[in-house]
Amino acid sequence: LEAIDDGPDVAGLEQFTLLWKGDCAECLPEGIYTLETAGAPRLELALEPIDVPQGSRYRSTFSLLS
């Protein structure tokens, strides 16, 4: 995880973006990936490559009703 960006501000909606940095030895295409960690439930996460063509950075955007 490289950074967490808040916003944009919308009434009744909390939005944030997670920015990920990875090793480009095996760049991932845009898609939904399942994360698994011992002792935690599975999490499906949508990744969108940014900084193409390097493809070593990704974005996941979330919107939560508040």
Side-chain angles (χ1 to χ4, degrees):
L1 181 61
E2 185 176 57
I4 301 171
D5 290 338
D6 287 330
D9 292 329
V10 176
L13 192 63
E14 184 177 340
Q15 297 178 305
F16 62 96
T17 300
L18 302 180
L19 298 173
W20 306 92
K21 184 171 174 106
D23 182 354
C24 200
E26 188 174 323
C27 295
L28 300 171
E30 183 172 347
I32 297 175
Y33 293 87
T34 302
L35 304 179
E36 295 184 52
T37 302
R42 288 181 178 168
L43 172 67
E44 290 193 348
L45 184 70
L47 290 180
E48 175 188 1
I50 54 178
D51 292 341
V52 176
Q54 293 87 356
S56 62
R57 293 183 68 226
Y58 304 90
R59 171 176 41 219
S60 298
T61 303
F62 297 84
S63 297
L64 305 172
L65 296 174
S66 55

